[in-house]
Amino acid sequence: MKNEITEKLELFMQNLRCEDMSRETLVHLDSCKIESEKLAELEEEYRQTMIELEDSSRVVLERYTDQMQSKAFAEQQEAYLQGILDAFQILSGLGILSSNQNVEKLIAHLEKDSPK
């Protein structure tokens, strides 16, 4: 079970990541753009196929694709948070950030709650 600190930190990181889409430091990978273009090319074919399916099959595929999207988003959030924690640990290890007992406790707690 997640604790309140982890949930608040996750929400904060999500808001931080999604707020300013025009900032200079925003990362856009070419591979992500390519994958988006490939997906767009398949979209009309997907829509037509879904129309032709029986209702029961369509519902299963819709639930499956919704779950895939939810899982992908959760994995993105997890990777983003891991990157932030790694950056904090690197900066702390280099002596750029001073060690703070509360930060150390938070990192230890997040590491304990994260799936292996």
Side-chain angles (χ1 to χ4, degrees), residues 2-18 23 72-90 103 106-115:
K2 282 187 174 184
N3 80 21
E4 190 175 330
I5 294 171
T6 306
E7 289 175 4
K8 286 182 180 181
L9 182 60
E10 185 177 319
L11 182 60
F12 170 75
M13 293 297 182
Q14 179 180 347
N15 288 337
L16 178 66
R17 183 174 82 158
C18 299
R23 66 183 189 214
F73 183 77
E75 289 173 339
Q76 290 170 356
Q77 289 298 105
E78 190 174 74
Y80 181 73
L81 183 56
Q82 183 65 57
I84 294 293
L85 288 176
D86 291 346
F88 281 136
Q89 288 179 324
I90 290 169
V103 172
L106 177 61
I107 290 171
H109 186 78
L110 289 171
E111 287 174 340
K112 182 184 75 142
D113 280 352
S114 68

Side-chain angles (χ1 to χ4, degrees), residues 49-62:
T49 301
M50 291 297 280
I51 290 170
E52 295 169 0
L53 287 176
E54 294 179 19
D55 288 343
S56 61
S57 296
R58 184 174 37 259
V59 168
V60 169
L61 284 178
E62 287 171 349

